[in-house]
Amino acid sequence: MSAPAPPLAAIPPDIRSLADYERRAAAHMPAESWTYLQEGSGDGLTLAANRAAFDRIGLLPRILSDLRGGTTQTTLLGARHAAPLLLAPVAYQRIAHPDGELATIRAASALETGMVVSTLASVTLEEIAAARAAAARELGAPAAPLWFQLYLQESRDASLALVRRAEAAGYQAIMLTVDAAIKRASFTLPAGVDAANLRGLPRPAQTAQPLGRILFGTALADAAPRWDDLAWLRRETKLPILLKGVMAPDDARIAREQGADGLVVSNHGGRVLDGMPSALDLLPAVRAAVGDALPLLIDGSVRRGADIAKALALGADAVMIGRPQIHALAVAGMAGVAHALLMLRSELEHAMAQLGCPTVTALTPDRLRLP
Ligand SMILES: Cc1cc2nc3c(=O)[nH]c(=O)nc-3n(C[C@H](O)[C@H](O)[C@H](O)COP(=O)(O)O)c2cc1C
């Protein structure tokens, strides 16, 4: 097998969409890492459903609208975002590029885009926060929003240590991922890449369970997070908490009652329970369940600015992208991720302008043609 190609020093002119990065990225990553990045669980039904949900929806422009003062800006949890778009937490970014998460945060800073740093980041959360501060200084711009994604550890002390580190480093929100406690074991990390934030913490008895082995009764199943863990976290931190991986409208209602400050409607990019519908299909019911005030994000196969417009029209406040940031990172490092974010933002502006929506709040269900 040939070695992966090094990242490109310049962005090739034929890259005009996120799909173009995806097509090129395989050549820049070891084969096993590429499979890990791209895979869905089971038969890939949910992975396919994620994309199909966006493609099924049509857009219905209103003509002759006043676009003066138009902007993609939005406010989430009191902070300004240049667009309703964030970088989803994606583990081990150094599998795609030697700079890993440091390149990603520099790109996010340049594009004033929020980044959600994974518990399983391959660079420490403090180094990422420092790179963000340095980028803001260089750019003379406000620092980009920075959130920490938490996977609960086997002990609450270990979880709390991570939260305290995130607070101390200036992270502005905790995104608690609740849909991936039970994972299949599959991937061996390449040499030199590790979960940098978990160094020194007790290693869990088990982090994943190969299919074909009994699960119930194991330490992994017994340690799966429960609702009282959310209540505990709520008591322990003043940071806003977003729950990631909420799909059932009834769970969304309970999460709001238990003090969640926001939700991410997500099936983890089709990587956990195969057979789940797309987040987009569930979004209107989740919005109806929680009311207008609670911030709702969605992710899963967002690949075009028009996808962002569709998600917002169906009730989302913002979307996140997962795999595309890694495709761009593998192809062209920081510049690639910045370019990918810029393309998405530009596509969103074009979609909004052509729909006759000068602001994100103008994106309403009447701009859609639903199947
Ligand atoms: C390689 C990979 C690693 C991921 N790691 C995490 C993680 O550490 N924490 C988390 O909450 N979600 C993780 N996710 C899920 C993403 O945050 C996001 O929900 C998903 O990728 C969105 O779908 P998309 O890739 O189609 O955009 C990961 C996804 C991928 C593809």
Side-chain angles (χ1 to χ4, degrees):
M1 216 181 333
S2 57
L8 303 176
I11 295 166
D14 63 343
I15 296 193
R16 297 200 193 90
S17 68
L18 267 47
D20 292 332
Y21 275 112
E22 180 169 12
R23 265 190 289 281
R24 280 181 172 260
H28 294 272
M29 290 176 67
E32 229 193 289
S33 300
W34 176 250
T35 303
Y36 161 71
L37 174 67
Q38 295 295 97
E39 69 189 354
S41 57
D43 296 316
L45 300 175
T46 296
L47 185 59
N50 284 352
R51 188 58 237 161
F54 282 105
D55 291 340
R56 266 200 312 271
I57 295 175
L59 293 171
L60 203 57
R62 299 298 303 273
I63 57 170
L64 300 175
S65 301
D66 186 351
L67 298 176
R68 287 174 293 181
T71 176
T72 60
Q73 269 188 50
T74 191
T75 302
L76 283 175
L77 304 171
R80 178 190 167 274
H81 292 244
L85 165 68
L86 290 92
L87 294 166
V90 175
Y92 307 120
Q93 299 194 4
R94 291 185 59 232
I95 65 174
H97 189 281
D99 296 340
E101 288 82 358
L102 296 178
T104 309
I105 188 62
R106 288 179 190 127
S109 301
L111 271 292
E112 300 167 73
T113 299
M115 174 174 176
V116 190
V117 172
S118 168
T119 288
L120 302 176
S122 53
V123 174
T124 66
L125 64 91
E126 289 84 1
E127 289 170 285
I128 298 167
R132 162 185 178 253
R137 274 195 305 277
E138 272 166 39
L139 295 160
L146 186 65
W147 300 353
F148 181 69
Q149 178 266 325
L150 179 66
Y151 277 132
L152 286 171
Q153 303 298 299
E154 234 172 48
S155 82
R156 284 188 171 174
D157 284 351
S159 300
L160 200 54
L162 289 168
V163 172
R164 292 287 176 257
R165 284 173 57 192
E167 290 170 344
Y171 285 70
Q172 295 147 314
I174 302 290
M175 185 176 283
L176 177 66
T177 300
V178 289
D179 63 1
I182 307 297
K183 287 194 292 290
R184 295 161 304 142
S186 62
F187 179 57
T188 311
L189 285 169
V193 180
D194 71 338
N197 292 308
L198 303 184
R199 290 173 197 151
L201 289 179
R203 294 207 66 74
Q206 226 176 344
T207 55
Q209 175 78 333
L211 282 177
R213 298 247 196 95
I214 293 299
L215 172 69
F216 286 128
T218 63
L220 180 70
D222 291 351
R226 298 184 287 264
W227 281 110
D228 61 349
D229 292 306
L230 173 62
W232 165 80
L233 185 64
R234 180 67 294 166
R235 289 194 300 276
E236 288 293 339
T237 183
K238 292 196 170 59
L239 288 179
I241 299 172
L242 298 105
L243 220 54
K244 175 171 183 272
V246 181
M247 291 290 273
D250 284 340
D251 278 346
R253 202 176 297 116
I254 298 170
R256 192 198 55 187
E257 287 162 9
Q258 304 259 330
D261 301 286
L263 305 179
V264 187
V265 187
S266 169
N267 57 35
H268 214 100
R271 296 167 76 82
V272 288
L273 175 63
D274 197 27
M276 274 199 270
S278 74
L280 195 70
D281 284 334
L282 285 168
L283 181 61
V286 172
R287 175 52 84 197
V290 299
D292 287 339
L294 196 73
L296 283 186
L297 278 64
I298 77 159
D299 70 13
S301 293
V302 173
R303 299 293 181 266
R304 287 283 193 184
D307 298 339
I308 306 176
K310 291 173 186 177
L312 265 63
L314 285 173
D317 294 288
V319 306
M320 304 197 297
I321 52 165
R323 294 175 185 87
Q325 52 178 307
I326 307 304
H327 301 150
L329 184 64
V331 173
M334 179 264 180
V337 180
H339 179 224
L341 289 171
L342 184 62
M343 284 194 296
L344 264 185
R345 171 111 51 92
S346 162
E347 287 177 2
L348 172 61
E349 286 194 3
H350 279 77
M352 287 170 60
Q354 289 167 1
L355 281 164
C357 296
T359 61
V360 293
T361 48
L363 290 161
T364 45
D366 62 321
R367 305 300 165 108
L368 303 180
R369 176 87 198 279
L370 298 172

